[in-house]
Amino acid sequence: MKLIRKGFIGVLAAFMVSAVTPLLIPFALDGDGNLNGAGYAAGVMFWAGLIAGCVGYALLYRKEKERIETGAGKRNRPSALYFFSNLPAKAADGIMIVGVIGTVFCAVNVTVSQTVAVIFLLLMLAGIYAHFLFNGKLYSYIWNCKPTYKNEQLKEKKGMGI
C-alpha cells in the first residue's frame, strides 16, 4: 500500500508538471515572434507530464486492479462523473470550476491581461487533472484502505517475529 501511495504522489506530480506549463507562455516567443527555448521547454514539459501521469496511473491501476475493484466500494458511475467525493476532491473540483469559468471569461473578453488568463489556464489544468485523480477509483481505494493497511502491516510484523 505504501508503494501505491508513493506511485499516486508521483502521478500527481507528473500531472502538475504538465499543469504549470502555462506559466511559460509569456516567455515562449522571442522578439521576432518565433518560438524560443522557453516555448519548446513548455511543450516538452506539458506532454512529458501528461504522458508520464497517464502511463503511471494506468500502471498503478493495472497492478492493483483486483484490490481496487473490491476496496474502492461500489461505484455506479464512471469516475469522471463523480464530483466532491472527498475533501481533496472538493478542493480540486472547486479549483477546476473557477479555472474553467475564468478561462472562458478570458477567452471571450479579449481585454483581460495575459497574466490573468495564464493563471486561470493553470488553475483549469491543475483542477482537471486533480479532479480525475481524487475522484477516481485508485484514490478511493487508497482512502478506504487505511485501516486495512495498518492491520496488514501489524500481521506482517507478528509473522516475522518482530
Side-chain angles (χ1 to χ4, degrees):
M1 185 59 111
K2 200 172 193 178
L3 182 63
I4 295 170
R5 287 185 184 153
K6 286 182 180 180
F8 185 83
I9 291 170
V11 167
L12 179 62
F15 279 127
M16 289 308 118
V17 165
S18 178
V20 299
T21 57
L23 294 176
L24 296 175
I25 289 173
F27 311 106
L29 299 176
D30 62 13
D32 298 330
N34 297 322
L35 206 57
N36 62 18
Y40 289 114
V44 169
M45 286 172 54
F46 175 81
W47 287 109
L50 181 62
I51 292 168
C54 289
V55 169
Y57 190 88
L59 291 174
L60 278 175
Y61 190 88
R62 186 174 169 200
K63 181 179 179 187
E64 298 293 326
K65 185 174 182 176
E66 289 180 22
R67 288 188 199 178
I68 291 169
E69 295 296 328
T70 58
K74 182 80 172 145
R75 300 184 87 169
N76 298 329
R77 298 175 288 183
S79 298
L81 299 179
Y82 277 90
F83 289 89
F84 307 105
S85 62
N86 53 58
L87 188 59
K90 289 176 184 177
D93 291 341
I95 290 169
M96 179 182 68
I97 290 168
V98 168
V100 168
I101 291 169
T103 301
V104 169
F105 175 77
C106 291
V108 171
N109 190 352
V110 198
T111 60
V112 175
S113 82
Q114 184 180 9
T115 304
V116 173
V118 165
I119 289 170
F120 279 123
L121 186 58
L122 178 136
L123 291 174
M124 183 181 75
L125 283 173
I128 289 171
Y129 294 149
H131 164 78
F132 283 102
L133 289 174
F134 292 127
N135 286 299
K137 287 183 180 180
L138 183 60
Y139 185 78
S140 178
Y141 168 68
I142 292 169
W143 181 263
N144 291 331
C145 290
K146 281 185 180 179
T148 306
Y149 169 68
K150 289 178 183 174
N151 291 339
E152 286 176 7
Q153 194 177 33
L154 288 174
K155 287 179 187 176
E156 287 176 11
K157 284 183 180 179
K158 286 180 183 177
M160 293 172 52
I162 297 174

